[in-house]
Amino acid sequence: ASCAAGWSRVCTSRMSKEDHDHVVKMVIPTKAKLRDKVTPTLIISALVGGFALANLRAQPTDTDTEVVTYCLLVMSVHACTCSALTSAFLLREINHKTEEAA
């Protein structure tokens, strides 16, 4: 078994094979753990982006508050879309990897 990145000092010490395997299992996540970390990001970004898009009007009026609100809504829609796409691409890559490669 190879050492995980960043644990070279721990792995080079006098450690039993069971301890080494335990450390590697703690450091290297499984596919299920990776999916569990990415999925909430996808869901939250889709929900927040959807609410921001629903509140976005075609044109802001002349008051400063509405112009600022409009700009923030446009930024949040784009940021949430980027986050949702990134999470979807990560999920796709995680699902296409074997358990050993994850």
Side-chain angles (χ1 to χ4, degrees), residues 43-59:
I43 294 168
I44 290 171
S45 63
L47 285 173
V48 171
F51 286 123
L53 186 61
N55 290 321
L56 193 62
R57 294 190 205 130
Q59 299 230 352

Side-chain angles (χ1 to χ4, degrees), residues 13-63:
S13 68
R14 292 179 223 149
M15 178 182 288
S16 69
K17 180 166 176 21
E18 292 81 23
D19 290 340
H20 177 269
D21 291 342
H22 179 69
V23 168
V24 170
K25 284 180 185 176
M26 286 181 4
V27 174
I28 301 174
T30 62
K31 279 177 65 171
K33 286 182 183 178
L34 288 173
R35 268 192 307 255
D36 291 345
K37 289 183 183 287
V38 173
T39 302
T41 305
L42 175 65
I43 294 168
I44 290 171
S45 63
L47 285 173
V48 171
F51 286 123
L53 186 61
N55 290 321
L56 193 62
R57 294 190 205 130
Q59 299 230 352
T61 57
D62 294 333
T63 63

Side-chain angles (χ1 to χ4, degrees), residues 48-88:
V48 171
F51 286 123
L53 186 61
N55 290 321
L56 193 62
R57 294 190 205 130
Q59 299 230 352
T61 57
D62 294 333
T63 63
D64 289 340
T65 305
E66 290 183 357
V67 171
V68 169
T69 303
Y70 179 81
C71 291
L72 290 174
L73 286 171
V74 168
M75 288 174 43
S76 67
V77 167
H78 284 83
C80 289
T81 302
C82 180
S83 176
L85 284 172
T86 303
S87 297

